[in-house]
Amino acid sequence: MSYLDELNESQRVAVENIYGPTMVIAGAGSGKTRVLTYRIAFMLDQGIDPFNILALTFTNKAAREMTERISNIVGGQEAKNISMGTFHSVFSKILRFNADRIGFPNNFTIYDTQDSKSLIKDIIKEFNLDDKTYKPSGVFSRISSAKNSLISPEAYLNNDEIQLEDKQSRRPELGRIYQTYANRCQKSGAMDFDDLLYFTNILLRDFPEVLHYYQQKFQYILVDEYQDTNYAQYLIVKKLAAAFENICVVGDDAQSIYSFRGANIQNILNFRQDYPDFKLFKLEQNYRSTKNIVEAANSVIKKNKDQINKKVWTDNIIGEKLKVIRTLTDNEEGKTIAGRLFETKQGVGSNWSDFAILYRTNKQSRAFEEALRKLNIPYKIYGGLSFYQRKEIKDLLAYFRLAANPRDEEALKRVINYPKRAIGKTSIENIIIAANRYNVSMWDVITDFNQYPAEVNSGTKSKIYEFTTMISSFNAQLNKLNAYELADTIAQASGVMRELMDEKEKGPEEVERYQNIEELLSGIQEFVKSGDSDEFKSLSDFMIEVALLTDADEGQTEDRNHVSLMTIHASKGLEFPYVFLVGLEENLFPSQMSLNTRTELEEERRLFYVAVTRAMNACTLSYASSRFVWGQLISSEPSRFIDEIEPEYLHFETPQRGAGRSLMGGGFERQHTGGLNKNPGLSQPNLKSLKDIQGNGKSESPGEQDIKVGYNVEHDRFGKGKVTKLEGNGADRKATIFFPHHGSKTLLLRFANLIILEE
DNA sequence: CCAGTACTTAGGTTG
DNA sequence: TAAGTACTGG
């Protein structure tokens, strides 16, 4: 067990204490991941069966990293048998296995946040409520926090306190929306992210034999980032650990930055009460940063009232003081930081990947992007839209979801008319009305109009019939074709591939979309090939894996030598030799929204602590004295957090030369436009009425009766084109026309004003 | 059905 | 400012 020699004293005792309740408070950079992985390795060395170990993390990234590290120590086969992953992935598997007990199909789909919000939006509309008082995202977060506190819709409606709260905030219908939302999810055989935790709790609460089984299975439980657990997660862990109490939680209260999402610092305090005989270990030696960095961070975080007493220290060199740079505008901040970064790289001869620029909000990235690009510095922005959230990917995935679970309402709504198959908005609305009336899913309605009559005309019905037949045929092949074969079939047969192929002519964005689809398909092929050769991997297996993946940067092995740009939240758990922490201004960091309460301000301070402690060798702080906010130049004050650092760790730099001019040049140009544009616009109405007269005078628009497929026609905007298809009757009569310069378009003849050139 | 325009809104982010 | 949505005219 040579690896034990690599640990310091407090790390080693934390690793070896594998029985009984244990809490490890791990300061920033103190080797937390190392302790967790070695602890598991030590357990296996002690003869503990990997099947009996449950290790929970918060992010896929953390789970991957831990799996990898443990495989390196104990070998892949052993590591594979440990239940290791995020809360959501581990418990979604358990839920699939036991789905029938809680009224879900075992192939239930998982709604992401977009799906949830779109469903909520629909419900608000159906209830005829004003979507300003009932904002979908606000309603969603209310429902989310109810679920995370394990409050059922019924309990929500029966709780006087909650009802009073909602009445006072003028949103008395929230409870009914929650109830309807939950009901619709259930009918659709779908769970959202919060449901995965909520229903795990229900399962363990209502089925003692299930609880007993998993208590016996998971005799040893480890939880990483314990300060980020919410109530639902806390309770799952508590229930599972009740039989053996071999539970180890690892965290750092000073790095709790997700309370706005329901994470609860109280869980650390509860731990003391739940397990009075628990052992506490503190990892206080920082191996990451210089003395100046560690002490600067300490001097700020000690201003917080709510914290567990500890003293993070380091044996590392003193290092440079933290530089503080002031610039006059946000754009200049970008230029200055980019220049400084370039100089540092030249000076020390390091890699671009040794540098990170961290900011409070995503929108700050722009100024740095521009400046880095001008200096030809490679960079990568983390965060933003992930691969699986792109429109074209979600569209195709929606077909996959339907293949596995045709009742999935959000997936159905997404693709029932994509690519266009003449199933209009009104028909879809009427289908939903019928589904609600009979309390069944949309799929039930559209596959059995006899039993569930809906106001849909017969032409549309036959289109729908084609669609449902197609989906059913995908569904029938789920266990016959492997994931790649079926995915490829769907991509072709659904028409998604052809749609994107046609659009490829339009421009680079469309080409990229097509390539994204290709990338998804080749990803599925890889998925099929991975693992044992004779193992059958179905498309639903793939969907299970992918539903909980949100990391965009999977499989991007190319060129990793770049500067990293990300929010501080995204930087948690990472480290960089050189960190630039930018935008340190009041109302930006700390955020304006956090200034109301002490607890919110303390969370901002912890965020600042996290940011500073990412740095290994040097940390540079910067702020601008004015910046553009929503198109307006506003002046700003340096952040209070700069003042809170003991001055002995700081080095203030003088402002850059020539800056005054740039303020004049860039700042005040944007006023004094317009002013002459006050004329009442007489010409507009005149023009319009002229057109009206023309329209009326034409008696009949040409072509209504005599247009045919194959005709060459001319359109006043798209120019010349050829008719490829005709459909609909009367006012709905439309033509699909291929225009060489604009691609294929479907136009209502009523409005198109086509001129027939030749037959 | 398509495309242009009027209007609104703006936090951090995992699964 | 920028992006997203709702509305409207052809």
Side-chain angles (χ1 to χ4, degrees):
Chain A
M1 275 169 269
S2 55
Y3 55 83
L4 289 180
D5 300 335
E6 295 171 29
L7 301 170
N8 71 28
E9 182 58 18
S10 44
Q11 289 174 334
R12 197 174 54 76
V13 289
V15 162
E16 290 178 345
N17 185 75
I18 58 177
Y19 300 103
T22 306
M23 180 153 76
V24 181
I25 299 292
S30 64
K32 181 192 65 163
T33 313
R34 170 178 283 211
V35 165
L36 265 171
T37 49
Y38 285 16
R39 196 169 199 274
I40 294 174
F42 183 77
M43 287 173 156
L44 297 174
D45 278 339
Q46 298 296 300
I48 290 170
D49 190 338
F51 282 100
N52 291 136
I53 300 175
L54 170 65
L56 297 168
T57 63
F58 270 79
T59 61
N60 288 313
K61 198 174 74 189
R64 264 200 307 274
E65 193 180 318
M66 219 195 297
T67 315
E68 205 172 292
R69 287 219 205 169
I70 291 175
S71 307
N72 285 341
I73 304 175
V74 303
Q77 206 49 48
E78 286 266 285
K80 227 178 156 183
N81 293 330
I82 302 171
S83 295
M84 184 151 47
T86 63
F87 273 84
H88 293 83
S89 77
V90 168
F91 295 118
S92 73
K93 280 173 198 148
I94 291 178
L95 283 171
R96 279 188 202 285
F97 203 73
N98 297 281
D100 51 321
R101 295 179 201 257
I102 49 170
F104 278 85
N106 59 8
N107 60 2
F108 65 79
T109 35
I110 294 172
Y111 278 179
D112 67 16
T113 312
Q114 265 180 55
D115 296 321
S116 300
K117 284 186 183 162
S118 121
L119 176 52
I120 288 170
K121 206 172 168 186
D122 281 3
I123 294 171
I124 291 168
K125 222 182 215 159
E126 286 165 27
F127 279 18
N128 276 322
L129 295 168
D130 173 29
D131 64 357
K132 292 215 172 52
T133 28
Y134 292 89
K135 283 185 199 150
S137 57
V139 175
F140 174 69
S141 70
R142 186 90 178 146
I143 293 175
S144 169
S145 57
K147 282 185 189 165
N148 284 325
S149 311
L150 302 181
I151 299 168
S152 69
E154 290 67 37
Y156 190 103
L157 285 164
N158 291 327
N159 184 313
D160 294 338
E161 204 179 314
I162 292 176
Q163 288 307 312
L164 187 66
E165 242 174 61
D166 283 354
K167 276 200 188 91
Q168 278 167 350
S169 71
R170 304 237 181 140
R171 295 183 299 175
E173 300 293 331
L174 280 170
R176 266 179 67 225
I177 298 175
Y178 178 19
Q179 192 174 38
T180 309
Y181 172 75
N183 180 257
R184 288 277 270 278
C185 286
Q186 175 124 26
K187 276 195 311 189
S188 306
M191 290 201 193
D192 67 18
F193 290 130
D194 299 315
D195 284 333
L196 296 175
L197 305 174
Y198 177 83
F199 282 111
T200 300
N201 269 291
I202 304 288
L203 181 70
L204 299 180
R205 183 194 69 192
D206 296 347
F207 299 91
E209 70 281 12
V210 177
L211 175 62
H212 184 252
Y213 174 82
Y214 287 107
Q215 281 179 339
Q216 295 301 314
K217 175 166 168 56
F218 300 133
Q219 295 181 17
Y220 300 87
I221 300 174
L222 298 97
V223 186
D224 191 14
E225 306 280 12
Y226 193 65
Q227 76 281 355
D228 289 337
T229 45
N230 61 36
Y231 181 70
Q233 290 162 327
Y234 155 80
L235 212 59
I236 293 172
V237 170
K238 187 182 169 190
K239 280 179 174 160
L240 289 176
F244 290 89
E245 295 204 344
N246 292 321
I247 172 170
C248 170
V249 301
V250 182
D252 180 8
D253 56 303
Q255 294 185 61
S256 160
I257 55 176
Y258 284 116
S259 74
F260 70 93
R261 231 169 35 196
N264 192 347
I265 268 203
Q266 284 303 111
N267 289 343
I268 291 187
L269 303 175
N270 283 343
F271 195 85
R272 297 158 182 248
Q273 284 156 19
D274 292 341
Y275 313 99
D277 58 338
F278 82 109
K279 290 215 176 64
L280 176 66
F281 300 94
K282 290 184 187 173
L283 308 181
E284 297 176 304
Q285 181 175 2
N286 174 307
Y287 293 96
R288 179 184 294 155
S289 318
T290 63
K291 281 199 176 69
N292 272 321
I293 291 169
V294 169
E295 291 305 329
N298 280 345
S299 65
V300 174
I301 199 68
K302 75 171 181 223
K303 305 269 197 297
N304 272 6
K305 272 195 190 168
D306 292 331
Q307 58 179 321
I308 290 170
N309 181 35
K310 66 173 164 310
K311 175 75 191 146
V312 177
W313 59 279
T314 185
D315 249 354
N316 292 344
I317 59 163
I318 293 176
E320 298 169 30
K321 291 184 176 183
L322 283 71
K323 288 194 196 88
V324 182
I325 298 178
R326 180 176 77 115
T327 62
L328 285 165
T329 65
D330 47 355
N331 285 327
E332 203 195 316
E333 184 184 35
K335 283 183 215 153
T336 310
I337 295 298
R340 206 53 78 87
L341 198 154
F342 189 82
E343 283 166 27
T344 313
K345 165 130 187 323
Q346 301 302 86
V348 295
S350 48
N351 293 317
W352 292 121
S353 56
D354 292 337
F355 296 87
I357 298 175
L358 307 181
Y359 34 77
R360 177 66 235 264
T361 65
N362 273 314
K363 63 171 179 241
Q364 289 168 256
S365 68
R366 232 196 57 192
F368 300 96
E369 266 179 272
E370 278 170 20
L372 291 169
R373 203 163 29 219
K374 272 195 191 128
L375 292 182
N376 269 326
I377 298 174
Y379 64 89
K380 178 172 160 122
I381 300 181
Y382 290 81
L385 209 56
S386 88
F387 183 74
Y388 294 102
Q389 291 180 23
R390 290 169 195 206
K391 186 192 170 295
E392 64 277 14
I393 299 295
K394 280 212 79 173
D395 288 338
L396 191 52
L397 287 180
Y399 276 103
F400 298 170
R401 277 161 59 175
L402 281 179
N405 170 23
R407 286 162 58 209
D408 184 328
E409 182 178 322
E410 289 309 303
L412 185 73
K413 280 192 295 196
R414 199 177 174 94
V415 297
I416 190 169
N417 198 31
Y418 176 84
K420 299 252 153 59
R421 42 177 78 88
I423 302 173
K425 224 160 103 186
T426 338
S427 303
I428 294 170
E429 271 165 22
N430 288 333
I431 291 165
I432 294 177
I433 290 171
N436 289 341
R437 179 180 305 142
Y438 298 104
N439 198 28
V440 293
S441 69
M442 284 175 75
W443 178 257
D444 294 321
V445 173
I446 62 178
T447 47
D448 194 351
F449 282 117
N450 290 328
Q451 196 174 349
Y452 310 113
E455 256 185 71
V456 178
N457 68 42
S458 62
T460 311
K461 273 185 185 167
S462 72
K463 297 280 179 195
I464 291 176
Y465 179 74
E466 280 172 36
F467 176 75
T468 54
T469 313
M470 175 175 75
I471 298 296
S472 299
S473 81
F474 297 155
N475 182 257
Q477 296 178 86
L478 208 53
N479 295 312
K480 297 199 181 89
L481 300 179
N482 73 31
Y484 176 73
E485 293 160 346
L486 184 52
D488 193 50
T489 307
I490 293 176
Q492 306 296 340
S494 64
V496 171
M497 243 3 193
R498 188 160 21 88
E499 182 82 5
L500 291 171
M501 188 82 97
D502 289 348
E503 286 181 354
K504 250 167 81 173
E505 321 294 317
K506 281 192 189 166
E509 272 175 43
E510 282 72 16
V511 173
E512 199 187 322
R513 281 198 204 158
Y514 184 80
Q515 288 167 343
N516 284 336
I517 293 288
E518 285 182 323
E519 194 181 328
L520 176 66
L521 290 175
S522 67
I524 298 176
Q525 195 156 34
E526 241 167 71
F527 168 78
V528 172
K529 282 183 187 156
S530 70
D532 308 329
S533 54
D534 52 337
E535 191 184 355
F536 179 78
K537 293 197 161 185
S538 75
L539 190 59
S540 21
D541 295 331
F542 175 76
M543 291 309 288
I544 288 167
E545 298 257 312
V546 99
L548 295 165
L549 264 192
T550 42
D551 289 348
D553 39 357
E554 185 68 82
Q556 291 202 350
T557 37
E558 16 92 33
D559 194 13
R560 295 170 101 196
N561 191 15
H562 52 243
V563 175
S564 299
L565 275 67
M566 63 182 87
T567 62
I568 302 165
H569 281 92
S571 76
K572 193 172 164 195
L574 304 176
E575 58 182 24
F576 300 92
Y578 302 93
V579 166
F580 293 89
L581 179 53
V582 301
L584 288 171
E585 293 139 41
E586 283 293 297
N587 296 332
L588 181 59
F589 190 19
S591 151
Q592 194 168 17
M593 276 116 154
S594 71
L595 300 178
N596 302 321
T597 64
R598 182 177 59 94
T599 52
E600 279 180 294
L601 183 63
E602 291 203 347
E603 178 146 322
E604 294 284 305
R605 195 176 277 120
R606 291 193 294 270
L607 195 56
F608 184 78
Y609 177 79
V610 168
V612 172
T613 54
R614 297 311 95 198
M616 299 160 78
N617 301 341
C619 182
T620 304
L621 314 175
S622 78
Y623 65 94
S625 22
S626 61
R627 75 170 56 234
F628 275 98
V629 182
W630 300 330
Q632 275 196 312
L633 188 71
I634 57 150
S635 63
S636 39
E637 301 268 299
S639 167
R640 69 187 70 192
F641 296 142
I642 296 178
D643 296 331
E644 289 177 3
I645 299 176
E646 294 286 345
E648 59 179 297
Y649 308 119
L650 294 180
H651 173 74
F652 289 89
E653 299 202 356
T654 47
Q656 296 299 289
R657 63 199 154 75
R661 238 185 310 141
S662 104
L663 182 68
M664 292 297 282
F668 294 113
E669 268 171 8
R670 317 195 178 216
Q671 319 167 359
H672 311 307
T673 49
L676 291 177
N677 274 350
K678 272 187 190 163
N679 86 52
L682 278 172
S683 58
Q684 286 298 83
N686 278 349
L687 202 72
K688 205 173 167 188
S689 58
L690 190 68
K691 266 198 168 177
D692 281 349
I693 294 161
Q694 276 179 347
N696 289 340
K698 259 187 191 173
S699 70
E700 280 291 312
S701 69
E704 278 247 0
Q705 58 277 62
D706 49 5
I707 197 162
K708 293 207 173 73
V709 171
Y711 280 18
N712 283 320
V713 294
E714 185 164 351
H715 185 266
D716 55 1
R717 205 159 29 206
F718 302 133
K720 293 173 185 174
K722 200 181 190 96
V723 180
T724 56
K725 194 175 157 195
L726 284 166
E727 59 193 318
N729 281 309
D732 283 338
R733 185 132 180 96
K734 56 206 168 195
T736 306
I737 301 154
F738 179 74
F739 298 98
H741 296 289
H742 300 269
S744 205
K745 306 253 179 246
T746 307
L747 302 167
L748 281 183
L749 286 181
R750 189 153 52 101
F751 296 125
N753 275 326
L754 296 171
I755 299 165
I756 296 171
L757 298 174
E758 51 180 311
E759 306 185 353

